[in-house]
Amino acid sequence: MDTLASSSFTGSSNKHDLGILLQRGFFVLGLFYIPVAVLWAFSEPVFLFLGQDPQLSHDSARFLTCLIPGGLGYIYFEVMKKYLQAQGMFLHGIHLGTRTNHDHCIGIMRAGTYVLLIILPLNVGLNFLFCYTFEIGLLGAPLATGLCYWLSFALLVLYARFINGSECWGGWSCEAFQNLHTFARLALLGVVHVGTEWWAFEIVALAAGRLGTVSLAAQSVIMTADQVLNTIPFGIGVATSGRVGSLLGKRDDTGAARAAHISAVLSMVLGGVVLAVLIGTRDQFAKIFNDDSSVVSLTAEVLPYVALFQIADGLNGSCGGSLRGMGRQHVGALVNLVSYYCGALPLGIWLAFHGWGLKGLWVGQCIALYLVGVFEWIIVARSRWDTEVQKAFQRMDVHETLEDGI
């Protein structure tokens, strides 16, 4: 959806093509969810295989099984959000025109945020109600959360239907089942692109568990903080993919190149701000989560490495968004695989168990992120944007050719 939706909205002569993509997203990602649901349903032996506590494995498997119906609602919410963002990106960046258009743009881009602000307190209340008032216990949490996922999706549908976003919906169509290969290939490569980095951090977490309880506690503090801070480059990446895709669909190769470079610079500036904050608070930072002196001390020792890669993480997020907007997820996936798994991650694990401890793991992550960030920036900078425009139109399900629109 990052690749196809925004370019289709600006490049296609038929505005209903975006609605076709929405339907295709529902279908393809629904199919992708089947193996996930099967894995969740039979996750207990997987947890046991990974050496987890038997009771913990049993309870986790029950939790995931109850979350299966709700997980599909979350997927549909994300697809619907991309459908709306593709329309808002065009209005905001290319065709503001009047104050009314500007207000519509801001609303449609923020629709997902508005929905989540409504759902957040409702989610808290339903979790308390299901777990304690109805005395369902542990399983009340996935039931309440799953219900909130479906409510989030329903609210976005209502927003599109009655407020803004319905013009691209042309009704249900059999065209949604055409060209599934292109959509599924981009989606699968997107999974690998994003997943290879996420999995590397999970491997680091598993390795930290073998370094002792203090290291594991410090790792928990650092990972929690990093997940919160990662929303900054992630948000820039989402905006970049939509912006680049919209401009490619408008055949504005110069504007697409400019947007990619501006987002890269912005991400590094914000990464520098985060770096300064983390360095300045490293001696006290862990006290937000844990008051154990040994955990606070170890966190302060490791945090400079975490701070150092914030610039690279920002560059990774923005350039990754550019690559998704261009439909080059395979490039980002390859860079991640080589940088993390063929060098930096093995090095970090080796350092961790040869005297460096938790620092060694994060030194490896720092090296990997700089490799990924620099390589992706070089790839984006050296891209032939006029060729990317042609590729964007080749991916579209439109009957007109590129020359027809020139």
Side-chain angles (χ1 to χ4, degrees):
M1 293 295 287
D2 279 343
T3 303
L4 298 172
S6 52
S7 59
S8 175
F9 184 74
T10 55
S12 174
S13 61
N14 184 359
K15 61 185 178 182
H16 294 157
D17 283 337
L18 184 58
I20 298 297
L21 280 174
L22 174 64
Q23 296 172 52
R24 191 170 296 151
F26 288 154
F27 179 70
V28 172
L29 297 182
L31 291 178
F32 275 26
Y33 184 56
I34 292 174
V36 175
V38 172
L39 177 63
W40 284 2
F42 298 96
S43 58
E44 183 172 356
V46 177
F47 288 132
L48 293 172
F49 176 77
L50 293 174
Q52 302 302 303
D53 177 79
Q55 186 60 48
L56 179 63
S57 300
H58 178 70
D59 289 340
S60 298
R62 292 172 64 214
F63 185 101
L64 289 175
T65 301
C66 288
L67 191 59
I68 289 174
L72 190 62
Y74 175 77
I75 291 173
Y76 286 177
F77 167 76
E78 289 294 322
V79 177
M80 194 71 196
K81 187 170 67 175
K82 296 293 183 183
Y83 164 81
L84 293 173
Q85 287 175 344
Q87 300 174 60
M89 191 63 66
F90 170 71
L91 290 170
H92 184 58
I94 302 170
H95 188 62
L96 287 178
T98 65
R99 177 66 185 175
T100 302
N101 279 343
H102 180 270
D103 291 341
H104 281 183
C105 155
I106 296 299
I108 202 168
M109 284 295 292
R110 295 178 179 175
T113 304
Y114 295 151
V115 166
L116 292 177
L117 289 174
I118 295 171
I119 292 297
L120 177 59
L122 183 62
N123 184 43
V124 174
L126 286 176
N127 269 274
F128 183 86
L129 186 68
F130 281 35
C131 292
Y132 300 105
T133 304
F134 295 162
E135 298 183 349
I136 301 176
L138 171 69
L139 300 185
L143 293 174
T145 302
L147 177 59
C148 287
Y149 286 155
W150 280 107
L151 287 174
S152 300
F153 169 62
L155 288 176
L156 270 193
V157 171
L158 291 173
Y159 180 93
R161 174 63 181 84
F162 295 106
I163 300 177
N164 194 10
S166 61
E167 65 173 350
C168 293
W169 179 258
W172 296 101
S173 172
C174 293
E175 289 184 53
F177 300 101
Q178 300 173 7
N179 296 320
L180 295 176
H181 175 266
T182 299
F183 192 102
R185 180 177 61 84
L186 288 170
L188 190 58
L189 290 172
V191 170
V192 177
H193 183 195
V194 176
T196 43
E197 179 180 0
W198 187 272
W199 301 331
F201 278 84
E202 296 299 331
I203 291 172
V204 166
L206 290 172
R210 296 180 176 271
L211 294 173
T213 55
V214 173
S215 293
L216 183 59
Q219 169 70 14
S220 178
V221 171
I222 295 168
M223 277 294 292
T224 301
D226 184 67
Q227 287 171 359
V228 173
L229 295 172
N230 185 251
T231 59
I232 298 173
F234 178 78
I236 294 175
V238 170
T240 304
S241 61
R243 181 79 165 134
V244 168
S246 293
L247 290 165
L248 291 177
K250 198 174 181 289
R251 304 181 181 91
D252 185 359
D253 54 311
T254 302
R258 186 186 303 116
H261 293 308
I262 289 175
S263 69
V265 173
L266 175 63
S267 67
M268 288 190 290
V269 171
L270 293 178
V273 173
V274 175
L275 183 155
V277 172
L278 289 178
I279 291 294
T281 61
R282 66 184 184 277
D283 292 327
Q284 308 296 325
F285 188 86
K287 293 181 180 180
I288 300 173
F289 307 93
N290 196 311
D291 58 3
D292 185 277
S293 59
S294 57
V295 174
V296 173
S297 176
L298 180 57
T299 302
E301 191 177 345
V302 176
L303 211 55
Y305 299 103
V306 180
L308 185 61
F309 74 57
Q310 295 304 314
I311 295 176
D313 199 22
L315 195 58
N316 185 12
S318 61
C319 292
S322 296
L323 291 173
R324 291 194 301 275
M326 290 187 280
R328 301 177 70 184
Q329 289 90 325
H330 62 286
V331 175
L334 181 60
V335 170
N336 279 351
L337 283 170
V338 173
S339 300
Y340 279 103
Y341 298 91
C342 295
L345 191 57
L347 173 63
I349 293 174
W350 187 88
L351 289 173
F353 294 98
H354 287 80
W356 284 61
L358 189 61
K359 285 191 302 181
L361 291 173
W362 286 96
V363 166
Q365 294 300 88
C366 188
I367 293 172
L369 280 164
Y370 271 99
L371 288 173
V372 171
V374 170
F375 284 150
E376 288 190 345
W377 197 12
I378 292 173
I379 291 168
V380 170
R382 294 179 62 85
S383 296
R384 295 191 57 179
W385 291 93
D386 55 342
T387 302
E388 295 303 325
V389 169
Q390 298 177 30
K391 291 180 179 178
F393 276 82
Q394 290 171 2
R395 288 190 293 266
M396 291 182 199
D397 298 335
V398 293
H399 300 294
E400 62 187 0
T401 63
L402 178 62
E403 291 75 13
D404 290 335
I406 294 178

